[in-house]
Amino acid sequence: MSARRAEGGSARIPSPRFSIITASFNQAKFLEATLESIRDQGRSDVEHLVLDGGSTDGSVEILREHEASLAYWVSAPDGGQSAAWNEGLRRSRGAILGFINSDDLLLPGGLDEIARLADANPHAEWLVGGTQYFGEGSGNLSYPGLAPRHASDVLYFETYTPQPGQFVRRSLVERVGEFDESLQFAFDLEYFVRCALSGARAAATSQVVAAFRFHGESKTMASRDGQLTETRMVEERWWPEVVRREGWRARHGRQRFHGRLALGEARRAGRGIAAWRLLGQVAFEYPTMIPTRAFIGTVQRLLGLRSD
């Protein structure tokens, strides 16, 4: 069944400080919680825009029920999440922009903390708050906000903060441009690499402001291979520029990143000879991984000393 175009939104925010952009597609079971988490920030300077890709699962009915708290919503076939975010950028008017997808949440007081961070750091264009994982297989991990200082920190996840906790000022968007719509998994990574290369100043807070939901239908869990493929595409695209600017720092980050990937393959190989062979390759090709907790833990697993 094809979806008909529908749109609405009656909230009128004269001069929004925040624009929150939500991409959605057939996630009615999570959508209402997301909408409420943004509405319940209790601020009068927030415009919320929802770009739905033509859902047929009842999402449109939920959006209509929340008409009064939405500045704009549309449900129509689109080019995927990156295209939806770009449409949100074009329609938004706020000075600070954030992206909370329809299976994620803003936590109580989250925007108050980002506003405080922005006020304390008027020259920072990139505002980073902490993010908590929740849901299936998430481990309920919590990541404090970390301010990237170098493009290699972003490209190789050396200062990792999940995407829902990251906000950007409009001045940075105007300089860096839109998201790459040819990417469907790593477009946020590619965008933040460009932000770092643009010289954007970043400021961070350790307070957790957003929550990233793990569930069986999420791209993070269902399409690990697609995520990794696009991550490598982003690396191939930007590595020459990053290493030209950052030299040894970029090379060190690259070594650690690929070492972690190789170690993950060894872990997934079980406890047989193949796993030991892969672990040996990690030690030979990425010797800086040997003293790490991840490497030592993998050895302990292979020896049967731990089961996690």
Side-chain angles (χ1 to χ4, degrees):
M1 180 175 64
S2 61
R4 291 184 177 181
R5 182 181 180 87
E7 60 186 325
S10 60
R12 296 293 173 258
I13 315 299
S15 299
R17 185 175 194 187
F18 289 97
S19 292
I20 303 300
I21 295 166
T22 296
S24 182
F25 182 64
N26 282 339
Q27 292 194 333
K29 59 185 175 182
F30 305 128
L31 178 59
E32 188 159 34
T34 299
L35 302 181
E36 291 175 351
S37 79
I38 296 166
R39 181 199 65 193
D40 293 347
Q41 294 295 304
R43 298 181 62 98
S44 61
D45 58 356
V46 181
E47 65 169 10
H48 188 192
L49 304 95
V50 181
L51 296 306
D52 178 82
S55 295
T56 57
D57 65 343
S59 292
V60 171
E61 287 71 23
I62 293 172
L63 291 170
R64 286 186 173 130
E65 289 172 6
H66 288 261
E67 176 92 9
S69 64
L70 298 175
Y72 177 76
W73 66 267
V74 63
S75 182
D78 58 26
Q81 187 178 342
S82 51
W85 280 15
N86 280 338
E87 178 66 15
L89 284 180
R90 296 178 201 121
R91 289 184 174 273
S92 66
R93 298 177 297 121
I96 300 173
L97 298 102
F99 302 86
I100 302 295
N101 291 322
S102 56
D103 46 2
D104 300 330
L105 304 171
L106 270 180
L107 296 184
L111 291 186
D112 288 342
E113 177 64 8
I114 295 299
R116 184 204 63 76
L117 182 66
D119 290 341
N121 298 274
H123 299 298
E125 296 179 292
W126 194 348
L127 305 164
V128 186
T131 300
Q132 178 182 342
Y133 285 169
F134 74 109
E136 304 171 22
S138 67
N140 294 319
L141 297 174
S142 184
Y143 293 85
L146 295 174
R149 304 300 181 194
H150 305 90
S152 58
D153 292 345
V154 180
L155 185 59
Y156 294 119
F157 304 93
E158 293 288 293
T159 53
Y160 177 64
T161 300
Q163 172 270 309
Q166 305 202 41
F167 298 76
V168 292
R169 293 193 197 261
R170 184 165 298 278
S171 59
L172 181 56
V173 173
E174 291 172 348
R175 190 165 74 253
V176 173
E178 296 188 345
F179 294 92
D180 183 348
E181 295 184 14
S182 72
L183 301 171
Q184 289 300 318
F185 298 95
F187 56 90
D188 52 348
L189 171 65
E190 195 273 342
Y191 192 83
F192 292 138
V193 170
R194 280 190 278 142
C195 287
L197 288 172
S198 78
R201 293 186 184 181
T205 173
S206 61
Q207 181 170 319
V208 174
V209 301
F212 182 96
R213 187 194 301 266
F214 278 68
H215 58 93
E217 300 167 18
S218 68
K219 292 193 297 184
T220 301
M221 294 185 67
S223 305
R224 183 183 180 280
D225 289 344
Q227 183 81 44
L228 184 55
T229 296
E230 287 198 0
T231 297
R232 286 173 166 157
M233 288 171 59
V234 172
E235 179 192 24
E236 182 178 356
R237 179 184 302 178
W238 288 112
W239 168 251
E241 179 65 14
V242 172
V243 72
R244 184 186 70 80
R245 294 193 189 190
E246 300 178 14
W248 69 267
R249 180 184 295 276
R251 294 186 182 92
H252 179 71
R254 190 183 203 190
Q255 174 90 184
R256 285 173 55 84
F257 174 71
H258 287 283
R260 290 193 297 267
L261 290 180
L263 198 56
E265 291 182 12
R267 285 175 176 267
R268 288 188 292 275
R271 294 183 176 176
I273 294 175
W276 281 108
R277 185 179 295 115
L278 287 168
L279 190 63
Q281 290 177 358
V282 173
F284 178 75
E285 296 178 13
Y286 308 103
T288 58
M289 295 300 297
I290 295 174
T292 65
R293 292 174 60 184
F295 187 93
I296 294 169
T298 302
V299 172
Q300 291 173 334
R301 287 180 70 242
L302 293 179
L303 292 172
L305 299 177
R306 59 188 293 179
S307 58
D308 59 322

